[in-house]
Amino acid sequence: TFNMKLLVILLFSGLIPACRGSNSSYSLPPKLLLVSFDGFRADYLQNYEFPHLQNFIKEGVLVEHVKNVFITKTFPNHYSIVTGLYEESHGIVANSMYDVITKKYFSDFNDRDPFWWNEAVPIWVTNELQENRSSAAAMWPGTDIPIHNTTPSYFMNYSSSVSFKERLNNITMWLSNSNPPVTFAALYWEEPDASGHKYGPEDKENMRRVLKEIDDLIGDLVHKLKMLGLWENLNVIITSDHGMTQCSKERLINLDICLNRSDYTLIDLTPVAAILPKINKTEVYNKLKNCSSHMNVYLKEDIPARFHYQHNDRIQPIILVADEGWTIVLNNSSLKLGDHGYDNSLSSMHPFLAAHGPAFHKGYKQCTIDSVDIYPMMCHILGLKPHPNNGTFGHIQCLLVDQWCIRLPEAIGIVFGVLLILTILTCLFIIMQNRLSAPQPFSRLQLQEDDDDPLID
Ligand SMILES: [Zn+2]
């Protein structure tokens, strides 16, 4: 029985740490800082050196690949992270959009009409509406727009020329001295996306320089949080919206060869083109169908379900999806050496996620989550009731200290342990049975032997 006790203890001791409840630091309201470095492709982490980021990960968690949402562009993916919704559900379906009913246009430079954003409720709005809490943001897409008539209490109007340092200074100031306290903050930076487009991800020399700069910014961020005494109690998530892949002038799909410009309105071009036909839709579709073997042509109703990209008026009647590394162009359009927006099942399109703070385990790695899972995780950390979303809380449970979660090695241990206990119990049962059914004369003989002993003494 001693062995059995030991086994049971061994078996369950592995589970106890995962069951730890809220600790003392939770008496303060939990705080979360969400950071995005635009276009940070997941495998940059394996292919380049990031001493500061690796230190951050060593004391926190890492998700190596985040499967993002289709189309793998900036505005749609940043909105999915903060709403937990696929693009068809949150309504930001591209960086360039047109709404046929209202005849409104949306682009990176014309994004300020709340109409586009109001199909969903981002986490900073939900947080802002809580009693005794506020939100802050430095240029995260959508944070300078009154969505459902609410902006974060503290925010910056978007301007790409404002330095990372200035954004970080504002965010940390708001996190440290605000009343009611800032409990959710979001910070956005345009790199390494801009350089990824310019040089292409295969330009190792330039990307090494750019990614070293990113790592230094992460070093500055951690240093600043430590200096201000925010580091221990703040949860920090560092992630991105999408990856980047190499393009080439050898891989072009020229729409002008297949289609007259007078036949359609072009809403978005590459690598996912959005086509609004001016003539018969089927005619346009037939002209495009055999245009190139390096792109898929879909009528809206035939877009594959796995893209979750169909049920929204802002998705145009025909979309073209270029193969990885191919660029859709018109005669006169320019080429970027790196691009994103492609099929979200391509690993080159995936970003990563790293997190650190009292809510997260230390030194835990996980292969993958979906980007829509980040929203329910953030709501859980902040104690907010999530709006209906496409995320799965179970996918991120293992990252969190307050969740019970079985990882594969533990599961194998438990199965093995249970089998071992059952085997031992069976053996014990068989031995007992044999003893009980042993013939009586034998035990009497033994007793007599025992009785003899005191006489000898
Ligand atoms: Zn981006």
Side-chain angles (χ1 to χ4, degrees):
T1 50
F2 174 73
N3 279 341
M4 266 187 55
K5 262 186 201 162
L6 191 71
L7 253 167
V8 170
I9 290 166
L10 279 176
L11 194 63
F12 286 97
S13 63
L15 304 178
I16 291 161
C19 300
R20 269 181 305 184
S22 44
N23 61 34
S24 59
S25 64
Y26 277 71
S27 53
L28 297 164
K31 292 186 177 190
L32 174 64
L33 169 60
L34 172 65
V35 185
S36 169
F37 289 97
D38 198 313
F40 196 127
R41 174 171 152 160
D43 67 1
Y44 287 161
L45 258 181
Q46 280 86 55
N47 298 331
Y48 297 90
E49 283 176 23
F50 293 92
H52 293 113
L53 180 53
Q54 293 294 357
N55 274 335
F56 178 94
I57 289 167
K58 215 179 289 167
E59 294 177 25
V61 297
L62 171 68
V63 179
E64 288 173 326
H65 277 263
V66 175
K67 188 183 179 195
N68 48 354
V69 294
F70 183 80
I71 63 175
T72 53
K73 290 273 191 177
T74 298
F75 274 89
N77 272 279
H78 277 101
Y79 213 39
S80 287
I81 292 170
V82 294
T83 61
L85 294 169
Y86 296 124
E87 297 173 23
E88 65 179 5
S89 301
H90 68 50
I92 305 293
V93 303
N95 288 351
S96 299
M97 295 186 278
Y98 173 67
D99 186 78
V100 272
I101 298 155
T102 57
K103 309 228 179 317
K104 288 180 178 191
Y105 280 94
F106 175 99
S107 75
D108 328 23
F109 304 104
N110 176 27
D111 64 351
R112 307 200 48 101
D113 187 339
F115 164 77
W116 297 102
W117 304 87
N118 281 343
E119 289 190 3
V121 183
I123 190 168
W124 62 79
V125 171
T126 307
N127 188 61
E128 191 69 37
L129 298 176
Q130 300 292 304
E131 208 174 312
N132 204 33
R133 289 180 179 205
S134 63
S135 306
M139 301 197 186
W140 187 282
T143 52
D144 54 356
I145 292 151
I147 301 171
H148 300 285
N149 299 313
T150 308
T151 62
S153 291
Y154 310 91
F155 69 92
M156 304 171 79
N157 282 311
Y158 184 73
S159 163
S160 60
S161 60
V162 175
S163 69
F164 184 83
K165 194 176 176 184
E166 193 177 332
R167 299 179 197 194
L168 178 62
N169 281 346
N170 281 337
I171 283 290
T172 51
M173 178 180 72
W174 293 327
L175 274 168
S176 36
N177 334 292
S178 298
N179 194 19
V182 168
T183 51
F184 175 81
L187 170 60
Y188 168 80
W189 183 239
E190 287 83 353
E191 289 281 16
D193 179 74
S195 296
H197 283 301
K198 186 176 168 190
Y199 303 114
E202 287 173 11
D203 182 343
K204 291 262 167 167
E205 202 172 312
N206 276 306
M207 290 313 294
R208 184 174 296 116
R209 176 179 52 78
V210 170
L211 293 171
K212 189 196 175 298
E213 286 168 13
I214 299 287
D215 189 59
D216 289 341
L217 297 180
I218 293 170
D220 294 346
L221 167 78
V222 173
H223 180 71
K224 182 112 198 177
L225 293 174
K226 284 180 176 169
M227 292 286 287
L228 293 169
L230 291 166
W231 178 246
E232 293 302 325
N233 289 319
L234 181 65
N235 295 294
V236 182
I237 295 173
I238 299 177
T239 187
S240 182
D241 50 350
H242 54 73
M244 188 70 68
T245 197
Q246 189 71 32
C247 297
S248 160
K249 62 179 192 315
E250 312 297 319
R251 296 192 293 269
L252 301 181
I253 301 160
N254 189 347
L255 279 192
D256 284 333
I257 290 172
C258 308
L259 212 54
N260 264 327
R261 291 208 195 172
S262 57
D263 291 349
Y264 69 102
T265 306
L266 186 67
I267 308 302
D268 202 0
L269 181 57
T270 191
V272 178
I275 306 280
L276 176 59
K278 284 183 180 168
I279 55 167
N280 181 282
K281 182 173 80 175
T282 315
E283 201 177 316
V284 174
Y285 174 75
N286 286 335
K287 284 182 180 178
L288 287 166
K289 203 171 54 178
N290 300 314
C291 184
S292 165
S293 57
H294 300 287
M295 71 175 179
N296 287 305
V297 182
Y298 299 110
L299 287 171
K300 181 174 178 176
E301 51 271 30
D302 299 330
I303 298 172
R306 68 184 180 88
F307 287 143
H308 304 284
Y309 195 78
Q310 188 174 51
H311 303 287
N312 196 294
D313 291 340
R314 300 164 188 180
I315 296 169
Q316 299 304 325
I318 299 173
I319 67 162
L320 319 175
V321 183
D323 289 351
E324 183 177 11
W326 286 76
T327 306
I328 303 172
V329 295
L330 300 175
N331 278 332
N332 56 346
S333 56
S334 61
L335 170 82
K336 292 167 176 170
L337 282 175
D339 210 356
H340 55 87
Y342 300 93
D343 189 332
N344 62 327
S345 65
L346 294 166
S347 67
S348 62
M349 291 299 105
H350 296 167
F352 74 105
L353 179 143
H356 179 282
F360 297 100
H361 279 296
K362 292 196 188 304
Y364 177 69
K365 275 188 192 181
Q366 187 169 318
C367 293
T368 186
I369 60 168
D370 293 333
S371 65
V372 290
D373 302 331
I374 300 170
Y375 171 77
M377 176 171 79
M378 295 193 298
C379 287
H380 174 81
I381 291 170
L382 291 171
L384 300 175
K385 185 172 178 284
H387 283 259
N389 64 82
N390 301 117
T392 304
F393 187 72
H395 291 171
I396 55 82
Q397 267 179 314
C398 288
L399 305 177
L400 300 173
V401 292
D402 68 353
Q403 291 300 300
W404 196 88
C405 133
I406 301 178
R407 301 163 204 171
L408 190 62
E410 283 172 0
I412 292 169
I414 288 168
V415 170
F416 184 73
V418 167
L419 283 174
L420 206 63
I421 287 173
L422 285 176
T423 311
I424 289 166
L425 286 176
T426 311
C427 290
L428 283 174
F429 183 74
I430 290 168
I431 291 167
M432 300 267 276
Q433 281 256 311
N434 284 344
R435 284 223 175 145
L436 286 175
S437 59
Q440 285 294 90
F442 178 73
S443 45
R444 212 176 281 144
L445 211 70
Q446 265 205 328
L447 275 172
Q448 279 170 352
E449 267 180 10
D450 288 349
D451 286 345
D452 286 342
D453 285 342
L455 293 176
I456 291 165
D457 282 329

